[in-house]
PDB file of all heavy atoms in Angstrom:
ATOM      1  N   PRO A 493       6.934  47.513 -55.732  1.00 97.00           N
ATOM      2  CA  PRO A 493       5.480  47.443 -55.882  1.00 97.00           C
ATOM      3  C   PRO A 493       4.753  48.469 -55.022  1.00 97.00           C
ATOM      4  O   PRO A 493       5.233  48.905 -53.977  1.00 97.00           O
ATOM      5  CB  PRO A 493       5.151  46.023 -55.416  1.00 97.00           C
ATOM      6  CG  PRO A 493       6.199  45.741 -54.381  1.00 97.00           C
ATOM      7  CD  PRO A 493       7.436  46.478 -54.820  1.00 97.00           C
ATOM      8  N   LEU A 494       3.561  48.830 -55.498  1.00 98.00           N
ATOM      9  CA  LEU A 494       2.594  49.587 -54.701  1.00 98.00           C
ATOM     10  C   LEU A 494       1.435  48.632 -54.453  1.00 98.00           C
ATOM     11  O   LEU A 494       0.770  48.184 -55.392  1.00 98.00           O
ATOM     12  CB  LEU A 494       2.132  50.827 -55.460  1.00 98.00           C
ATOM     13  CG  LEU A 494       1.248  51.830 -54.705  1.00 98.00           C
ATOM     14  CD1 LEU A 494       2.006  52.448 -53.533  1.00 98.00           C
ATOM     15  CD2 LEU A 494       0.754  52.929 -55.641  1.00 98.00           C
ATOM     16  N   TYR A 495       1.221  48.281 -53.180  1.00 98.00           N
ATOM     17  CA  TYR A 495       0.211  47.285 -52.818  1.00 98.00           C
ATOM     18  C   TYR A 495      -1.147  47.935 -52.572  1.00 98.00           C
ATOM     19  O   TYR A 495      -1.231  49.067 -52.074  1.00 98.00           O
ATOM     20  CB  TYR A 495       0.629  46.551 -51.535  1.00 98.00           C
ATOM     21  CG  TYR A 495       1.904  45.775 -51.647  1.00 98.00           C
ATOM     22  CD1 TYR A 495       3.095  46.285 -51.132  1.00 98.00           C
ATOM     23  CD2 TYR A 495       1.930  44.521 -52.254  1.00 98.00           C
ATOM     24  CE1 TYR A 495       4.285  45.558 -51.228  1.00 98.00           C
ATOM     25  CE2 TYR A 495       3.102  43.792 -52.347  1.00 98.00           C
ATOM     26  CZ  TYR A 495       4.273  44.327 -51.839  1.00 98.00           C
ATOM     27  OH  TYR A 495       5.443  43.616 -51.948  1.00 98.00           O
ATOM     28  N   ALA A 496      -2.207  47.208 -52.888  1.00 98.00           N
ATOM     29  CA  ALA A 496      -3.573  47.591 -52.509  1.00 98.00           C
ATOM     30  C   ALA A 496      -4.055  46.549 -51.507  1.00 98.00           C
ATOM     31  O   ALA A 496      -4.279  45.392 -51.866  1.00 98.00           O
ATOM     32  CB  ALA A 496      -4.488  47.624 -53.726  1.00 98.00           C
ATOM     33  N   LEU A 497      -4.195  46.942 -50.236  1.00 98.00           N
ATOM     34  CA  LEU A 497      -4.476  45.991 -49.171  1.00 98.00           C
ATOM     35  C   LEU A 497      -5.632  46.469 -48.290  1.00 98.00           C
ATOM     36  O   LEU A 497      -5.738  47.654 -47.965  1.00 98.00           O
ATOM     37  CB  LEU A 497      -3.228  45.783 -48.309  1.00 98.00           C
ATOM     38  CG  LEU A 497      -2.008  45.204 -49.040  1.00 98.00           C
ATOM     39  CD1 LEU A 497      -0.778  45.268 -48.155  1.00 98.00           C
ATOM     40  CD2 LEU A 497      -2.274  43.779 -49.487  1.00 98.00           C
ATOM     41  N   MET A 498      -6.467  45.530 -47.907  1.00 98.00           N
ATOM     42  CA  MET A 498      -7.612  45.823 -47.043  1.00 98.00           C
ATOM     43  C   MET A 498      -7.177  45.974 -45.585  1.00 98.00           C
ATOM     44  O   MET A 498      -6.243  45.313 -45.134  1.00 98.00           O
ATOM     45  CB  MET A 498      -8.627  44.682 -47.132  1.00 98.00           C
ATOM     46  CG  MET A 498      -9.344  44.558 -48.455  1.00 98.00           C
ATOM     47  SD  MET A 498     -10.609  45.828 -48.683  1.00 98.00           S
ATOM     48  CE  MET A 498     -11.752  45.427 -47.346  1.00 98.00           C
ATOM     49  N   CYS A 499      -7.896  46.830 -44.866  1.00 97.00           N
ATOM     50  CA  CYS A 499      -7.668  46.981 -43.425  1.00 97.00           C
ATOM     51  C   CYS A 499      -8.609  46.057 -42.656  1.00 97.00           C
ATOM     52  O   CYS A 499      -9.804  45.969 -42.965  1.00 97.00           O
ATOM     53  CB  CYS A 499      -7.927  48.417 -42.985  1.00 97.00           C
ATOM     54  SG  CYS A 499      -6.790  49.623 -43.664  1.00 97.00           S
ATOM     55  N   LYS A 500      -8.053  45.387 -41.662  1.00 94.00           N
ATOM     56  CA  LYS A 500      -8.872  44.576 -40.776  1.00 94.00           C
ATOM     57  C   LYS A 500      -9.884  45.482 -40.064  1.00 94.00           C
ATOM     58  O   LYS A 500      -9.549  46.606 -39.669  1.00 94.00           O
ATOM     59  CB  LYS A 500      -7.990  43.872 -39.749  1.00 94.00           C
ATOM     60  CG  LYS A 500      -8.746  42.995 -38.767  1.00 94.00           C
ATOM     61  CD  LYS A 500      -7.806  42.446 -37.700  1.00 94.00           C
ATOM     62  CE  LYS A 500      -8.556  41.620 -36.675  1.00 94.00           C
ATOM     63  NZ  LYS A 500      -7.674  41.148 -35.584  1.00 94.00           N
ATOM     64  N   ASP A 501     -11.097  45.008 -39.909  1.00 93.00           N
ATOM     65  CA  ASP A 501     -12.161  45.750 -39.225  1.00 93.00           C
ATOM     66  C   ASP A 501     -12.535  47.040 -39.954  1.00 93.00           C
ATOM     67  O   ASP A 501     -12.940  48.038 -39.317  1.00 93.00           O
ATOM     68  CB  ASP A 501     -11.765  46.073 -37.768  1.00 93.00           C
ATOM     69  CG  ASP A 501     -11.497  44.814 -36.954  1.00 93.00           C
ATOM     70  OD1 ASP A 501     -12.166  43.792 -37.216  1.00 93.00           O
ATOM     71  OD2 ASP A 501     -10.622  44.851 -36.075  1.00 93.00           O
ATOM     72  N   ALA A 502     -12.394  47.049 -41.290  1.00 96.00           N
ATOM     73  CA  ALA A 502     -12.799  48.218 -42.073  1.00 96.00           C
ATOM     74  C   ALA A 502     -14.288  48.498 -41.871  1.00 96.00           C
ATOM     75  O   ALA A 502     -15.105  47.578 -41.810  1.00 96.00           O
ATOM     76  CB  ALA A 502     -12.516  47.970 -43.553  1.00 96.00           C
ATOM     77  N   LYS A 503     -14.628  49.777 -41.780  1.00 97.00           N
ATOM     78  CA  LYS A 503     -16.026  50.158 -41.564  1.00 97.00           C
ATOM     79  C   LYS A 503     -16.829  50.121 -42.866  1.00 97.00           C
ATOM     80  O   LYS A 503     -18.054  50.040 -42.844  1.00 97.00           O
ATOM     81  CB  LYS A 503     -16.095  51.549 -40.938  1.00 97.00           C
ATOM     82  CG  LYS A 503     -15.486  51.637 -39.540  1.00 97.00           C
ATOM     83  CD  LYS A 503     -15.592  53.049 -38.986  1.00 97.00           C
ATOM     84  CE  LYS A 503     -15.043  53.130 -37.556  1.00 97.00           C
ATOM     85  NZ  LYS A 503     -13.597  52.818 -37.496  1.00 97.00           N
ATOM     86  N   HIS A 504     -16.128  50.218 -43.986  1.00 98.00           N
ATOM     87  CA  HIS A 504     -16.797  50.214 -45.298  1.00 98.00           C
ATOM     88  C   HIS A 504     -16.096  49.193 -46.200  1.00 98.00           C
ATOM     89  O   HIS A 504     -15.524  49.550 -47.239  1.00 98.00           O
ATOM     90  CB  HIS A 504     -16.744  51.605 -45.930  1.00 98.00           C
ATOM     91  CG  HIS A 504     -17.089  52.715 -44.988  1.00 98.00           C
ATOM     92  ND1 HIS A 504     -16.113  53.448 -44.313  1.00 98.00           N
ATOM     93  CD2 HIS A 504     -18.297  53.205 -44.573  1.00 98.00           C
ATOM     94  CE1 HIS A 504     -16.703  54.349 -43.550  1.00 98.00           C
ATOM     95  NE2 HIS A 504     -18.030  54.232 -43.684  1.00 98.00           N
TER      96      HIS A 504
END
Side-chain angles (χ1 to χ4, degrees):
L494 187 64
Y495 298 101
L497 298 170
M498 291 285 297
C499 294
K500 180 186 177 184
D501 300 327
K503 296 180 177 63
H504 315 96

